[in-house]
Amino acid sequence: MELSHRLKSIPPYVFAEIDKKRQAAIARGVDVINLGIGDPDQPTPRHIVEAMHDAVENPVNHHYPPFGGSKEYKQAIVKWCNKRFGIELNADTEVTSLIGSKEGLHHTIMAFIDKGDINIIPDPAYPVYRTSTILAGGEPYFMPLTPENKFIPDLDAIPEAVLKKAKLLMLNYPGNPTAGIADLAFFEKAVAFCKKHNILLVHDLAYSEMTYDGYKAPSILEVKGAKEIAVELHSLSKTYNMTGWRIGFAVGNAEAVAAIAKIKSNVDTDIFKPIQLAAIAAFEGPTDHIDFCNNLYIERRDLAVERLKALGWPVQPIKATFYMWLPTPKGMSSADFSALMLDKAGIVVPPGTAYGPNGEGFFRMSLCLDKARMAEAFDRMAQHSITYDMLQAKV
Ligand code: MLT
């Protein structure tokens, strides 16, 4: 059996690998604390689950769903986007359904990247940006995101030769894994830049509602004229605690939306109707669970900041997402630190390099466990002398 070059050219999916290591540790009897994947620990709100129950009982919903999302789903998206961001969208031409934003990102890349094309992506970034570009035969060009540039890339530093071959430029604010945030002024710059260079701007807004301390995340489509060049991918996973349901949507530039819908209709047959109906209940129902969960994440963030500071870490409170992007102990690689956390303390944290070359020297910690379990993780770190200056302390 010979695998395709395409498949051989990408690494295994980071969380599939981490899960294997986690399962192996559990099998050895380790009580593993998982600060790895970003999967909300709270349940999907009741009204959404009930809408699914009702819909699944109706045989009319058991058939193939319409390609690109049902009319009702697309209209509910238009209303939600209007209420949340003040943007106008045409449900027929500027909206399409996605089986979560991971699938949407992959298919957006497949729809636009050919062999030899460049996709300009942040580094570090959600691994799919890079791997799907390689699967499409293209080449990622990395825009470094660092604490020094506040995780905002310098678009003017992208070489002319790269811009000539680039078909896409991807952004993600609030950002995974860095928790970086952007304001509308940066989005205006990015839209003008992509228009000038005729590059489709793809904005991943999976964490739009997960924001704290008064910060509200803008949509890139709030920029005047953005629809001429931008498409935005949304997910219900994090906002509504629906990671397992696999539902999202793309909005914006009609040509890009049609391209995504075309490729998808050739490879999948959309989202089970009851899930779309549950998503409508999510858009139209009460939103108190969002504040409830955000308050939980704030409490966990504050605990993590306090306990990490006590272990010597330089750390600032995040204003969005449920990820903390932290430097590894001075002198230790990302891979070594991740392995040490699991081997010594039974704690899962992804190495920064899983998110791109610029992730070396960092690791990600998610806030998806209750405070007691998180406190236990910090207790274990202290107990095993896992501190920011642990290598210096040894000398
Ligand atoms: C993450 O933890 O970064 C992702 O949300 C998990 C995933 O989508 O695979």
Side-chain angles (χ1 to χ4, degrees), residues 303-332:
L303 170 82
V305 168
E306 185 195 319
R307 298 292 306 268
L308 284 163
K309 271 192 179 158
L311 294 166
W313 254 274
V315 47
Q316 293 297 325
I318 51 169
K319 281 197 159 37
T321 78
F322 48 12
Y323 303 122
M324 298 182 64
W325 184 242
L326 297 157
T328 54
K330 278 180 270 177
M332 195 180 295

Side-chain angles (χ1 to χ4, degrees), residues 13-15 36-39 101-102 126-128 176-177 207 237-238 243 246 322-323 350 355 364 366 368:
Y13 189 56
V14 55
F15 289 109
I37 200 157
D39 190 356
S101 55
K102 184 181 189 181
Y126 187 44
V128 175
N176 174 13
Y207 298 89
S237 287
K238 319 283 163 153
T243 47
R246 309 314 304 145
F322 48 12
Y323 303 122
Y355 301 91
R364 195 189 77 174
S366 69
C368 303

Side-chain angles (χ1 to χ4, degrees), residues 180-196:
I181 54 173
D183 56 15
L184 211 53
F186 173 67
F187 284 167
E188 277 164 6
K189 186 173 174 167
V191 166
F193 183 86
C194 287
K195 272 190 192 170
K196 179 173 167 206

Side-chain angles (χ1 to χ4, degrees), residues 188-384:
E188 277 164 6
K189 186 173 174 167
V191 166
F193 183 86
C194 287
K195 272 190 192 170
K196 179 173 167 206
H197 297 285
N198 191 28
I199 298 170
L200 178 67
L201 177 53
V202 181
H203 185 226
D204 172 1
L205 188 48
Y207 298 89
S208 66
E209 307 313 299
M210 216 177 240
T211 58
Y212 321 119
D213 305 341
Y215 174 71
K216 219 167 160 53
S219 159
I220 209 150
L221 300 178
E222 288 174 45
V223 175
K224 206 163 169 275
K227 272 199 267 177
E228 289 162 38
I229 204 71
V231 67
E232 190 163 72
L233 272 50
H234 291 250
S235 163
L236 279 84
S237 287
K238 319 283 163 153
T239 306
Y240 300 103
N241 304 334
M242 290 175 78
T243 47
W245 299 58
R246 309 314 304 145
I247 184 158
F249 58 91
V251 284
N253 181 275
E255 213 182 316
V257 163
I260 297 167
K262 178 178 176 187
I263 197 158
K264 280 177 55 56
S265 63
N266 277 283
V267 296
D268 67 61
T269 309
D270 229 87
I271 305 154
F272 187 38
K273 257 309 248 336
I275 298 180
Q276 297 191 41
L277 289 161
I280 296 171
F283 291 134
E284 295 177 352
T287 53
D288 39 335
H289 79 279
I290 300 179
D291 295 332
F292 174 79
C293 290
N294 284 351
N295 283 329
L296 284 184
Y297 299 134
I298 289 170
E299 284 179 11
R300 296 169 188 178
R301 170 200 72 180
D302 293 346
L303 170 82
V305 168
E306 185 195 319
R307 298 292 306 268
L308 284 163
K309 271 192 179 158
L311 294 166
W313 254 274
V315 47
Q316 293 297 325
I318 51 169
K319 281 197 159 37
T321 78
F322 48 12
Y323 303 122
M324 298 182 64
W325 184 242
L326 297 157
T328 54
K330 278 180 270 177
M332 195 180 295
S333 75
S334 296
D336 286 350
F337 182 68
S338 225
L340 174 115
M341 283 283 270
L342 185 59
D343 296 344
K344 279 220 180 322
I347 300 169
V348 172
V349 285
T353 41
Y355 301 91
N358 215 47
E360 183 51 271
F362 291 87
F363 68 101
R364 195 189 77 174
M365 184 177 270
S366 69
L367 304 174
C368 303
L369 290 180
D370 63 41
K371 268 170 70 181
R373 196 70 171 147
M374 290 199 61
E376 190 179 341
F378 298 119
D379 289 346
R380 288 193 201 172
M381 286 172 76
Q383 196 184 330
H384 293 283

